Amino acid sequence: MTRSLFRFAALALCAGLLFTGCTPAAPPAPSAPASSAAAESDAPAPTTIPLPDPLPEPLQPTEEELAALTDAIEEQFRGDWERPGYYLSARLDSVRVIPPKEWEDLQLPLTSGNTQLEGKSWMDCIADPGGCLLMAQTTTEYAPETIIAGPQYSDGVMTHVYLAVNSEEGWTIADDWRYYQGSEPPEPSPDPAQEELGLTRNQWVMLQHQTRALALSGIFRDLDDPLTELTAEEWANYLYARSESWFGLAEDGSTEAPAGTIFRADFTDRISGEDPLPAALENTEEPLPAPCAACEEIKTLLDADPNAIVYSRTGDVVTATLTLPLESGTIAMEYTFGLVPDDPAPFSRTYLQSAHRL
C-alpha cells in the first residue's frame, strides 16, 4: 500500500487562547481514515471568492510576535506528534504572513461556520480588531505500526492557513483551514545500517522496535515458534514493552492497538485473515501488559549502549544479536527475523521467526 492511500483529512487543530472580538475556533472532530480519492471527494469544492477592493491592510506581527505565534501553532500539533509510536518524524517547517495579493488564490470561504467569530468573516477580523493570515507548512511521516493499525490523520507535506488577530490580549489564533492537500515529503537518506542490510525504511524501523521489545520483555530463551511457545506471562511482558511503539497503554491497562494485530504483525508473515491467538492464551483471558522484573534495568542499558544490538543479514533472514551485561549475569541472544516486502504486502515489515540463547 503506497503512502498516497493514507491521504486522509488533515490534522485536526484547535486554538485554545481567548481574546476579545474574534475568538478561537472550536476544535474539529478527528476524521476517519479514507483513501485519497475519498478524501478529495469529501473536501469542500474550492470556489473563487470575490474580494473587496481595496483589501484591508493586514497587521504585520513583529519578529518576536511571529515567533510566539509559531510556537502556539507548533504546540497545537505537538500533543499529537508526541504520541508514542504515532509518527516516525513530524515537524513544523515554516510559518509566514500571507500578503493580500495571495488571498484570492487561497479560495477561502469568507465565513467558515465558526460560531465563535461572533458573525465576523476572516476579513472582518483582519480589519477589526486587526490581524493577518498565516501559512504554515508541516512534514509528517508515519511509523510502520501506525500504518498497520490505520492512521487517523494526514502525513506528508501539508499546508495550513491560520487567521491570527491582535487584540488587547495580544496575538492569538482565531481560525484555521485544514483541507489543503499536501505533497510527498522528500525521501530521507537511509540509515547506513539500513542501507547495509538492504532493508526498506519501514522494515528497518520495525526491526529495531521489535528487537527492543524482545529485550525489554526479558525473552531470553530458545524459541522455534514464538506463537506456540511463549507463555502468558511472556506475552504480558512483550505487550507492555511493545506499547512503546503501538500507541501506548489504554486507561484499563490494555494496549491501545489490538493485541491480535500486534501478534500478527510481529510474529507472522500473513497480511490478511484472522488475527492469531497464541497457544498460551487459548484457554485463558488475554493478559494485561505488565513489565518484566528487569525491564527498567534493561531499558537503561539499551539507552546507554547503541551497540547492545547488532544486526546482520543472510539472504532473506535478518539476525539481531543482543548483549546485555545485567547484574544477574550477561545475556547474549540471537533473534532471527523474516522479511515481508512491499509487494504483495500492503507494507514492508519484519517478523520474528526464532530466538536462541548464545
Side-chain angles (χ1 to χ4, degrees), residues 1-2 6 143-150 200 202-203 206 246 261 264-266 268-272 339-350:
M1 187 176 292
T2 62
F6 293 105
E145 290 86 354
T146 306
I147 298 174
I148 294 169
T200 67
N202 281 341
Q203 286 171 335
M206 197 80 160
W246 278 95
T261 301
R264 176 161 56 86
D266 285 359
T268 82
D269 62 353
R270 293 194 288 109
I271 59 173
S272 61
L339 302 178
V340 177
D342 280 317
D343 185 19
F347 45 82
S348 58
R349 57 184 173 87
T350 55

Side-chain angles (χ1 to χ4, degrees), residues 151-346:
Q152 296 295 309
Y153 307 114
S154 293
D155 67 345
V157 176
M158 298 295 296
T159 299
H160 314 264
V161 176
Y162 295 86
L163 169 63
V165 298
N166 186 24
S167 66
E168 295 179 357
E169 288 76 13
W171 281 93
T172 48
I173 301 299
D175 206 352
D176 61 85
W177 293 267
R178 303 166 299 280
Y179 54 79
Y180 290 95
Q181 297 300 311
S183 59
E184 298 287 337
E187 186 68 25
S189 299
D191 185 293
Q194 171 199 337
E195 199 167 30
E196 183 178 348
L197 292 169
L199 301 179
T200 67
R201 188 167 175 81
N202 281 341
Q203 286 171 335
W204 174 233
V205 172
M206 197 80 160
L207 175 67
Q208 295 174 90
H209 290 173
Q210 290 165 333
T211 308
R212 178 178 172 87
L214 288 164
L216 289 176
S217 55
I219 299 177
F220 302 142
R221 64 186 183 90
D222 291 353
L223 296 169
D224 293 317
D225 184 1
L227 275 173
T228 63
E229 296 175 23
L230 286 175
T231 66
E233 180 181 2
E234 287 171 329
W235 281 119
N237 296 160
Y238 185 79
L239 289 173
Y240 181 89
R242 199 66 170 95
S243 67
E244 282 190 345
S245 46
W246 278 95
F247 310 129
L249 304 175
E251 291 184 0
D252 64 357
S254 62
T255 52
E256 291 190 29
T261 301
I262 298 176
F263 298 152
R264 176 161 56 86
D266 285 359
F267 298 97
T268 82
D269 62 353
R270 293 194 288 109
I271 59 173
S272 61
E274 295 183 2
D275 290 332
L277 179 65
L281 308 183
E282 288 181 355
N283 299 313
T284 184
E285 291 185 4
E286 181 182 304
L288 288 177
C292 76
C295 183
E296 289 304 315
E297 181 187 0
I298 294 169
K299 182 179 292 188
T300 298
L301 292 172
L302 290 176
D303 292 344
D305 183 7
N307 296 316
I309 304 173
V310 178
Y311 300 95
S312 61
R313 177 174 177 177
T314 303
D316 290 333
V317 175
V318 176
T319 300
T321 303
L322 169 72
T323 305
L324 285 176
L326 299 177
E327 291 184 2
S328 57
T330 297
I331 294 293
M333 288 291 301
E334 272 190 358
Y335 304 104
T336 61
F337 295 85
L339 302 178
V340 177
D342 280 317
D343 185 19

Side-chain angles (χ1 to χ4, degrees), residues 95-163:
V95 176
R96 68 177 179 89
V97 176
I98 307 174
K101 64 181 180 181
E102 297 180 23
W103 287 358
E104 191 165 14
D105 294 336
L106 296 175
Q107 300 177 333
L108 296 179
L110 284 176
T111 58
S112 64
N114 181 358
T115 58
Q116 297 188 47
L117 292 183
E118 299 181 353
K120 292 184 177 181
S121 70
W122 59 267
M123 193 167 301
D124 292 334
C125 290
I126 288 177
D128 179 20
C132 64
L133 293 178
L134 301 174
M135 180 174 287
Q137 181 171 289
T138 62
T139 300
T140 57
E141 183 177 5
Y142 283 124
E145 290 86 354
T146 306
I147 298 174
I148 294 169
Q152 296 295 309
Y153 307 114
S154 293
D155 67 345
V157 176
M158 298 295 296
T159 299
H160 314 264
V161 176
Y162 295 86
L163 169 63

Side-chain angles (χ1 to χ4, degrees), residues 24-81:
S31 57
S35 68
S36 58
E40 291 172 5
S41 65
D42 292 340
T47 56
T48 300
I49 303 298
L51 301 181
D53 185 16
L55 293 171
E57 187 64 30
L59 295 180
Q60 294 294 322
T62 66
E63 183 176 338
E64 292 77 11
E65 289 168 338
L66 183 59
L69 285 167
T70 299
D71 289 342
I73 291 172
E74 183 171 20
E75 182 63 26
Q76 294 170 19
F77 286 102
R78 188 57 53 194
D80 194 50
W81 283 348

